[in-house]
Amino acid sequence: MSEASPVRNETLSPALLERLRDDAPLSRRDLLALGAATMATAAMAACGGGGDANGGSGGPTGPGPGVVPTGVTIAGAGITVNLTIRPELAAPGSFLVVTSGTANAIIICLGANNWKAFTPFCTHQQCVVTSFAANRINCPCHGSQFDTNGNPVAGPAPTALTSFTVAFASSTNTLQVTTTS
């Protein structure tokens, strides 16, 4: 089995790992164990945030970790969103999740020239929030919901999301989000 295998070693028995390293023939039981481990690893990866089903557009699943959507640039702790490239973020009720590693935010549009931004990490167990619907920021992991001020209104989240400063520059049609408190 190559090192690029998606199966994590701790999910396999030592005997099966040895047969895989030696390229020994696998029994039906070995193949079933390998398949089960692969499925479990895929399920764990899916729970970790998944992919971006809508090209980073803030669709129903939102982007996974490390995704910088098109039209977004990161500089230190700042996020710049070019609304000419991302015009959908100007529509009330729209949102964009950015998880770059250095600058992370969920940006929501509440109305004409009215945006807010918060940390995208749920205060319950740090899952990435993935949607904004019916004026609620939603965490897919345990059902926490936050209002448009970042305050928890449902689920186990104990505290509010950290809010960030958002500035709109009409001359460049950009949003600047500063992700430091």
Side-chain angles (χ1 to χ4, degrees):
M1 174 174 273
S2 71
E3 289 186 31
S5 168
V7 179
R8 296 168 44 128
N9 287 347
E10 60 266 22
T11 62
L12 301 176
S13 72
L16 179 53
L17 281 172
E18 191 62 35
R19 285 193 292 282
L20 290 170
R21 281 190 206 103
D22 294 339
D23 287 328
L26 299 177
S27 69
R28 184 171 186 230
R29 179 175 288 162
D30 291 339
L31 289 173
L32 289 171
L34 184 59
T38 302
M39 297 282 285
T41 301
M44 286 186 287
C47 290
D52 183 1
N54 295 297
S57 66
T61 61
V67 173
V68 178
T70 304
V72 174
T73 55
I74 307 296
I79 299 171
T80 302
V81 180
N82 184 329
L83 294 174
T84 303
I85 296 172
R86 310 268 344 168
E88 70 279 5
L89 191 55
S94 63
F95 71 99
L96 183 71
V97 177
V98 178
T99 55
S100 75
T102 59
N104 306 292
I106 180 168
I107 305 162
I108 60 175
C109 180
L110 298 175
N113 297 328
N114 184 9
W115 294 271
K116 289 191 176 185
F118 303 93
T119 179
F121 304 112
C122 180
T123 59
H124 175 234
Q125 289 188 345
Q126 302 302 300
C127 291
V128 175
V129 296
T130 57
S131 70
F132 176 65
N135 286 324
R136 296 287 186 256
I137 298 168
N138 302 293
C139 178
C141 294
H142 301 104
S144 290
Q145 295 182 348
F146 302 86
D147 66 18
T148 58
N149 292 312
N151 297 313
V153 293
T159 57
L161 298 172
T162 301
S163 64
F164 301 133
T165 302
V166 180
F168 173 62
S170 60
S171 62
T172 57
N173 199 31
T174 58
L175 294 178
Q176 181 64 43
V177 178
T178 305
T179 62
T180 55
S181 301

